[in-house]
Amino acid sequence: MRLALHQSGEVGTRAGRILLAERSLTALGLIDKHPTDPESGLEHVEVLATYDALLTDATDPDDHIEMALNAGVSCVVWVDAEQAHAEYHDAFEEAGLQLLTGCNLATGIAPSLTAHEVAITDAVLEVTSAWTEPGTPRRRGEAVPFPEPVGSRWGKPRPTEYADRAFVANVSGDWAAAMARVTAASESGVITRIVGVSDLAVHLEALAFATGAALVSSYPAGSSWPADLADAYLAQALDAGLDVAAHTHYGN
């Protein structure tokens, strides 16, 4: 797998370091940058068409999506890019290429955690998903039990299609987290299982981005979200070093 990386910030830089440990990687090229260390494992992208996918952590990725499409390579985007996701679907599908958008904590890791728990649970009663975003912590709302060091936070409802209820909690500082809570019925009563991740925000974002890059060829042609292949995405993230905490509660 040959990947071309456009770095606009720390997320892209850290994602590149994570990808250098990926077993299937044969080359990691930098767009618009020349590596200074010959032992880094990096190279400068001379001809984009010789790579399998272009990766960008740009907050406005349209130019790089167009660049990938023109070069005939797939594209992995860190931000949600909902408009681009819809706008470029047909073009990438017709070209037999993948456009994977939203490879981040909120639309990559959080929904994949949730979908995985739902898939392995029988008689599901309720599904809750939550994640953090930078901002001033709330003083009221829904109590969300994130793992430490983020810990419990107040969350605000956020519409989503993959859970009965979803919440976003603001966090100031360097940490971030995501959580899935699935309540189910069993012969012994009600069971609630909570799984979550908590780490440095930039590391979680970079890991989510790198995970999408490593898996992009597994997605169908056209535009996709990471959780469209939730089990594979989560497994790849775990292999890349994602740590998941779990807690099971029995009873009402």
Side-chain angles (χ1 to χ4, degrees), residues 54-62 64-65 74-89 92 97-109 111-112 205 208-209 211-213 215-216 219-220 222-229 233:
L54 184 159
L55 327 174
T56 179
D57 66 340
T59 55
D60 184 5
D62 283 18
H64 288 89
I65 293 174
S74 294
C75 188
V76 179
V77 176
W78 170 54
V79 298
D80 298 353
E82 292 185 12
Q83 182 174 344
H85 180 90
E87 179 181 345
Y88 288 98
H89 172 78
F92 273 80
L97 302 171
Q98 292 89 2
L99 172 61
L100 187 58
T101 61
C103 295
N104 54 52
L105 178 66
T107 53
I109 292 177
S112 294
E205 297 291 355
F209 184 34
T211 295
L215 274 184
V216 60
Y219 288 82
S223 57
S224 299
W225 298 103
D228 290 343
L229 294 178
Y233 185 85

Side-chain angles (χ1 to χ4, degrees), residues 130-157:
W131 61 93
T132 61
E133 291 179 356
T136 303
R138 297 175 58 84
R139 296 186 178 182
R140 61 180 63 89
E142 177 77 10
V144 181
F146 294 115
E148 295 293 345
V150 171
S152 296
R153 299 280 174 157
W154 296 114
K156 179 180 179 179

